[in-house]
Amino acid sequence: MAQKPKSSAKKGDNPNEKTIATNRKSRFEYEVLDHLECGIVLVGSEVKSLREGRMSLDEAYARMDKGEVWLVGCNIEEYRNATHEQHEPKRRRKLLMHRREINKFAARAYEKNLTLVPLKMYFKEGKAKLLLGLCRGKKTYDKRESLKEKTAKRDMDRAIKGRGRD
């Protein structure tokens, strides 16, 4: 009987989803309370640049303005092969959300003094999507606590792996 080849995909990965960038600092700096997938309005040269993976979410955040949600501070580098029709790398980009999502999600952030932080940007079935998190800033003692938990977990994993070699 022939065995199936093992796929290199991780558990929970969607084959129709290609990650462009993740905001790794956000999980350390903020406590994520809720998250939501939304679309983003882009121009052609931005999409081409995203396909090359040339973007950064490090300093980005979302802001509600006149009933719409905007992504601010996201750096999508200029596409090298584009003509004179280049985009501005750090321009504000409109996020596509249903009205009820804006009312529920973004308004909650505004009222309770929370922050809308982009956690991950990816292509899903050919369309650029942004995973937006409703976050509360961590205090320094919370950050130290998460570092302690991370090192303790790593040490336990090392001890378990080391025991199997005897």
Side-chain angles (χ1 to χ4, degrees), residues 36-73:
L36 175 74
E37 178 185 84
C38 55
I40 184 168
V41 177
L42 299 170
V43 296
S45 61
E46 288 175 328
V47 175
K48 295 228 180 208
S49 188
L50 286 179
R51 292 208 185 275
E52 290 181 347
R54 300 169 52 98
M55 76 160 303
S56 172
L57 288 173
D58 290 342
E59 300 169 1
Y61 60 95
R63 168 130 322 141
M64 193 168 159
D65 185 28
K66 297 177 186 171
E68 296 175 338
V69 182
W70 295 84
L71 182 64
V72 182

Side-chain angles (χ1 to χ4, degrees), residues 69-94:
V69 182
W70 295 84
L71 182 64
V72 182
C74 174
N75 185 20
I76 299 177
E77 294 181 26
E78 292 181 345
Y79 183 59
R80 289 181 289 226
N81 300 330
T83 59
H84 63 282
E85 299 286 326
Q86 273 298 357
H87 64 275
E88 186 181 327
K90 284 209 171 197
R91 73 178 182 91
R92 289 176 12 145
R93 294 164 179 92
K94 185 177 176 182

Side-chain angles (χ1 to χ4, degrees), residues 111-158:
E111 291 170 6
K112 296 185 178 180
N113 202 16
L114 301 173
T115 309
L116 293 173
V117 179
L119 304 173
K120 177 175 146 182
M121 187 171 242
Y122 51 94
F123 282 111
K124 185 175 183 179
E125 297 176 2
K127 294 180 175 58
K129 301 287 182 178
L130 183 77
L131 187 66
L132 195 64
L134 185 64
C135 302
R136 177 183 299 126
K138 282 187 182 178
K139 307 285 187 226
T140 49
Y141 56 84
D142 290 334
K143 292 178 189 177
R144 277 181 278 190
E145 189 65 35
S146 39
L147 278 175
K148 285 179 189 174
E149 289 173 8
K150 188 177 175 182
T151 28
K153 184 180 181 313
R154 188 175 357 142
D155 291 342
M156 288 188 333
D157 290 343
R158 283 183 184 163

Side-chain angles (χ1 to χ4, degrees), residues 5-17:
K6 292 183 181 179
S7 66
S8 61
K10 296 177 186 172
K11 183 180 176 185
D13 277 356
N14 187 347
N16 295 330
E17 200 172 286

